[in-house]
Amino acid sequence: MTGPHHHAYVWLGSGDVLVKPGDAHRRPGHKEFASAQVMPLECADWLLKPADRIEATFEEPKEAADWYDAQLDHYVELFVGSYPPRPLYEETVRALSAGEDRVGGWWVSGGRFLSLNLIACSPHRVRPDLACPLR
């Protein structure tokens, strides 16, 4: 990938893993960071994870927004007693077109946490020093 794009990441796991004890394993300097299946503390740090963690890559904001909506539909049964808060589609497209991330995280059934992420790449607005994991 050479131009601006977004990488998609999903994490669904036990909430206990988020704080296992503390959060050092979710920080890039920790020895377990690269292999830890849990989401990183900072959204941009997804780009430091191995490339095989990427669920999909999108050059077009509308395609990325479609993926995000489809993921919410896919996991809807986990939102016991309520529907997931869904950002307006047009707002998601606007944010992605501006090179922003779209990140959502929710506590869901069974004490689990669901994290859906579209992370801007090449460059990331806040962390332009991060290289694309596909290069």
Side-chain angles (χ1 to χ4, degrees), residues 21-100:
D23 57 16
H25 63 296
R26 296 176 59 200
R27 297 177 188 275
H30 193 272
K31 64 182 179 181
E32 293 178 20
F33 177 80
S35 64
Q37 293 301 305
V38 69
M39 64 192 200
L41 279 176
E42 292 186 35
C43 300
D45 288 343
W46 274 113
L47 300 175
L48 298 173
K49 293 280 193 177
D52 65 0
R53 293 297 309 274
I54 298 170
E55 298 281 331
T57 298
F58 304 98
E59 293 184 10
E60 295 299 323
K62 287 184 179 183
E63 291 177 9
D66 289 343
W67 176 88
Y68 198 86
D69 275 356
Q71 293 302 304
L72 288 171
D73 290 341
H74 176 76
Y75 290 106
V76 71
E77 73 276 358
L78 300 181
F79 292 85
V80 178
S82 67
Y83 291 99
R86 188 179 298 265
L88 293 175
Y89 180 82
E90 295 79 16
E91 174 55 22
T92 298
V93 172
R94 185 216 55 81
L96 298 175
S97 296
E100 298 174 15

